[in-house]
Structures are given as structure tokens and as C-alpha cells.
Amino acid sequence: MGKSSKKKKGSRAGDQLDSSDTESMSSSSTVVSDVAPAYATEQVTSNDFVLDELIDTLYEKRGSTRENALGRLVDAFESFVLLPFIENKCTTLSHLFINSIKKGSAKEAILASRAIALLTLTVGAGANSHEIMEEALPELCRILSGSDQSKMPAVLDCLALVTFVGANDLDETEVALKAMWEVIHPKSGSNVGTVKKYRPPVVAAAITAWSFLLTTISNWRRNPENWKEHISHLSTLLESDDRAVRMAAGEAIALFFELKLLDVQLAEDSPVQKDPKYQLFIYMQGMKAKVTAQIDALSSEAGGKGADKKNLNDQRELFQKIWDYVKDNWNPEETVKVSSKLGMLRVSSWTELVQLNFLRRFLGRGFLKHAQGNSLLHEIFNFGVDKTEGLSNIAKKIYRSEEEKERALRLNKDRKMAQERKQSILNEQM
């Protein structure tokens, strides 16, 4: 298909979308699994026409047909790094996906949100991703300010990723951070009598997305005065009845400590009490003490009757890591084996761990494929070069043996710490 026909279709896409149509799906749609053999080698082949047909299906009037095509495209984007295929299709795909968010059903909007995020993740940082972000941002923020909460977790993930990859400066990032924070901590407006209440899964998704974006602030606006409201509300969320909310809030607080957002520097050449920042210093010291005590309690929370043991253990493990960092400055460490050539993806800070957790959860089964072939992930985690290239076979074996030994030592350390925590909990319950 030529560019002219694409442009012509693109101009009528918005008029053709109709989510209320419940007619039967078109039988011409082709399953994405048919594309797998072609993309298993990461090469563009004649099977590109399968994906092209799915894209053409997004112009269809039937909502169910578009949903089917979106689902198959999402599967393809998750399973393969489709950079060669989308190279000249970014604008077309972005327009189509955003039209589906605007005019489609809730299911279609959820799939389209995921598709936009995957498109951005595939194309990487640059002019294309910035254009996608600029076009998607208003529509994503509109949904977050609306009432349909079923769409919000997917929209929050999408907003986080398009901003993480596409934003050029702090002002653009702050638009997304503000929209997410209004979900985390909703307030009544001047003309609204009641505060909007979001369900726990939406709140947890908002905190996770917000924390993921927070990892990009670097040296931007670290004035503790700007973070008083945030740390206070996150402390409140540590007492939420929902475990996912508590854990998401815990990760955000770990970032606050690592980024030193709670640290107040007092003047050294005048009495402390006369420093204009003294009251802020006292407030932040109090908040540090409060959240530290909360972290300690959550790291050893008793199960109780009917408690979900797996999720409880996940909570204890997370908050023990946070406690170790806050009290003893022990950085969290995690390794993921990517491939024999690329070796291990290693993280050793809360910033990196939050990024890894977000991307691993978002990509799901496609994470390893993207970790192997997506240059954006290589850039984020500073890996991707085959460190054994040029080595003799014996040297390769020695290198990989050392890697395995290092991994075993880390696992043994983690097991030992877990056993100590378990024994501590048992002692407290006796």
C-alpha cells in the first residue's frame, strides 16, 4: 500500500469508529501467531502483509472487528521487537490507536492504550515518540479525569510509558505526574462538593506509574517543600486495607529516600532555630521517623487467619528491602538472565528496581524478548553488549562460570536474609 492511500484512510478513521455496533466480526482477520515464524529471526519478510491487514482492519466500522485486530497487534508488539515493520508507520498507527481510545468501547480503549505504549517502547526515544506523546497526552488525561475507572489502569500505564520515552523536559513530565497524582490523592474542586473516590486497583496502578516517572526527575526540583503533601499522603496509604496499594506506596517512599526528596539542608553559619528552613527540617525529620516505623511494621506483619501467604510474603520481602536501605543503606539487588550472549541484567538501586518492576510487569511474557532485542531497554539498564565477544571458548566458559558464582552468592545472601526475617517474625509471635 502506498502512502497516499494511507493518508486517505487516515482522514476518515475518526468518522468510521462506532463502538455501539455489535455485528459479527470479519472473518478476514488473520491471527498474529501466523507472523511468529517470520519475526522469530527479527527480520522483515513477506509475512508483513499479515500485520498490514490487521492495521487496515482498524479502519473498519464494526467495534468488535477493531477490538480483535487490536488484540492481535498487541500480541505481536509484546512478542517481537517490530522496529523494522513500524519504521514508516508510526504516525498512522498512533492516529488509529488514539481514535480507538476516543471513539471505541472500554475494551477497545484498553487495548489501544496498551498498543500506544508498546508502539512507543518499540520506536524508542526521539521525534517519533515525542509526537506520539503530544498527541496521546490530552486524551489520556481526559480519561483519568472522567468516571470510567475500568480504563484507568491501562491508561495510566500508557501515560507513564509515552512520557517516560517521549518527554523532552520537566514541564512535559510534570503534566503526566500531576494527572497521576490527582488519581492518587483526589481533592474536591471549587465547584465540587465531594472528593472522587478511586478503587484500590486504580490507586495502586496510579502510584506505580507515578513512581516509574519519578525515576526520571534526576536533579529536577528537589526542593523538599514541593514534596510535603506527597510524603504525607504516601504515609497514609501505607495504612491502606489493600496490600497492593501499600506495596506501591512503599516503593514510592523508597524512591523518596534514594532521591533525597526528604532531606533539608540547614545553613551552617547561623543558629539552627533561626534558619527559615528549620520548621521544614523538623517536619521532614518527623515524617522520616513515621514512615520508617511503618516500614518496619510492614516488613514483619503477622499473617492472621485467612491471609494470602504469597502476597503477605511479597509484602514482607519488599518492606524488608526498604528497611535495609533506609536503616543500613543496603541497596536492593536483582539480576535477570537475559540470554547466554547478553548475560545478566543487573539492578542495584531503587530507581533501577522500580523501572525494572514496571517494565517487567507491563511487558509480561514479552519482557525477555524486549530485553534481548530492544535497544531502549539496553539504554535504560545500561546493558546489551555481548561481553564474551572476541573471547576464546575457554575464556567464555570462565566468564560465564564467574557470573553464575556471583549469582549464586547473591541468592544465598537473599535466602539467609529471608530466613533471618522469618525467624524474627516467629520470635515476635511466641
Side-chain angles (χ1 to χ4, degrees), residues 101-120:
I101 292 177
K102 287 179 179 177
K103 306 289 182 64
S105 65
K107 180 181 178 182
E108 185 176 348
I110 290 168
L111 286 168
S113 297
R114 186 161 182 80
I116 292 171
L118 288 163
L119 174 65
T120 308

Side-chain angles (χ1 to χ4, degrees), residues 86-99:
I86 65 168
E87 199 166 8
N88 298 314
K89 298 181 175 73
C90 277
T91 300
T92 299
L93 287 168
S94 177
H95 289 338
L96 287 168
F97 294 158
I98 291 170
N99 273 327

Side-chain angles (χ1 to χ4, degrees), residues 183-198:
V183 176
I184 300 168
H185 190 199
K187 301 174 185 176
S188 60
S190 56
N191 300 319
V192 183
T194 58
V195 177
K196 188 180 293 186
K197 188 172 178 62
Y198 294 93

